[in-house]
Amino acid sequence: GTVGRLRPGQRHLKKEAKAEMSDPRSHDWYTRPTNVGDRRGAGGVVARVEAGRVLVALVKERELGAQYYVLPKGGLEIGESVDEGALREIHEEAGLTALEKLVSLGSRERLEFKKRYWQESHYNLYYTEQVEGEILDKENHFDFGWFLIDDLPPMFWDDERALIEEFRDAIRELATKRAGETVREDPA
């Protein structure tokens, strides 16, 4: 009989689901499902300059795996402005507090990791001279680091990497101008 057997299409779907569980990056995070709510979020690209090189702050989230970094960001709390939320999220996830907003970088939309919300995240560019910070949200975030803007580590979210790449020249120019240093470009 057919009890306990899967049709070929079902087997394929189960294989896809298994692949998605083993590699969450295989999911289509940028096509909006019809059955999710909306959420507004905020975060930032935090830049500093060291020896003429521009570095950006990235964090690791426990649920995304040990190999991937993300920008510090999260959902806005009730009554919170985008600027307030971005500063709070950067503080919680990277421990950075000595931040100066340089410019808004706009927003990006995608499905959040647990697939409960379609999130529109607004990003600002911040400058800092702060090198270290204490992660406050240790339950969800376990690492923070500075990376050369021209040599980013593996990032989970394609839209966040694209944001940095799209604005790379402006980030470099604004951060080095604010730092009062001459930019040093690394050979590609």
Side-chain angles (χ1 to χ4, degrees):
T2 58
V3 177
R5 286 190 168 175
L6 298 174
R7 292 187 305 272
Q10 287 177 311
R11 192 171 296 136
H12 179 69
L13 291 174
K14 288 197 179 251
K15 284 180 184 177
E16 284 180 3
K18 187 175 182 180
E20 185 177 312
M21 287 172 44
S22 63
D23 181 11
R25 286 190 35 88
S26 67
H27 183 76
D28 180 8
W29 302 103
Y30 302 98
T31 300
R32 184 184 178 132
T34 56
N35 61 340
V36 296
D38 292 315
R39 183 169 90 161
R40 289 185 67 213
V45 175
V46 180
R48 69 181 184 87
V49 179
E50 182 177 290
R53 294 176 163 171
V54 177
L55 299 116
V56 293
L58 298 173
V59 299
K60 285 188 175 182
E61 291 184 19
R62 291 191 192 285
E63 66 188 358
L64 302 181
Q67 70 270 35
Y68 297 115
Y69 283 89
V70 297
L71 289 171
K73 47 82 189 57
L76 291 176
E77 295 179 355
I78 295 172
E80 192 174 45
S81 73
V82 167
D83 289 346
E84 291 166 340
L87 291 171
R88 178 184 51 75
E89 289 291 343
I90 294 166
H91 183 206
E92 289 175 1
E93 297 181 8
L96 300 173
T97 56
L99 303 170
E100 177 185 338
K101 180 181 173 183
L102 299 180
V103 67
S104 170
L105 299 175
S107 65
R108 304 288 172 147
E109 293 185 26
R110 66 168 162 72
L111 193 59
E112 58 88 37
F113 185 75
K114 292 181 181 172
K115 304 175 187 170
R116 298 171 299 180
Y117 305 103
W118 185 255
Q119 181 155 321
E120 178 185 13
S121 293
H122 298 265
Y123 294 96
N124 293 327
L125 171 61
Y126 294 95
Y127 174 79
T128 190
E129 293 179 359
Q130 184 178 349
V131 176
E132 296 181 18
E134 182 181 345
I135 296 171
L136 301 181
D137 181 14
K138 290 181 170 84
E139 182 180 328
N140 297 305
H141 299 86
F142 66 95
D143 194 19
F144 147 73
W146 290 103
F147 298 90
L148 291 171
I149 196 166
D150 295 311
D151 190 19
L152 299 172
M155 294 182 68
F156 188 86
W157 299 114
D158 293 338
D159 60 307
E160 293 179 3
R161 177 178 284 280
L163 179 78
I164 294 170
E165 290 173 351
E166 178 183 341
F167 289 104
R168 180 178 285 141
D169 292 341
I171 294 166
R172 184 183 290 115
E173 180 183 333
L174 290 168
T176 54
K177 182 179 178 182
R178 174 59 187 83
E181 294 193 30
T182 303
V183 68
R184 176 178 152 193
E185 294 201 29
D186 293 316

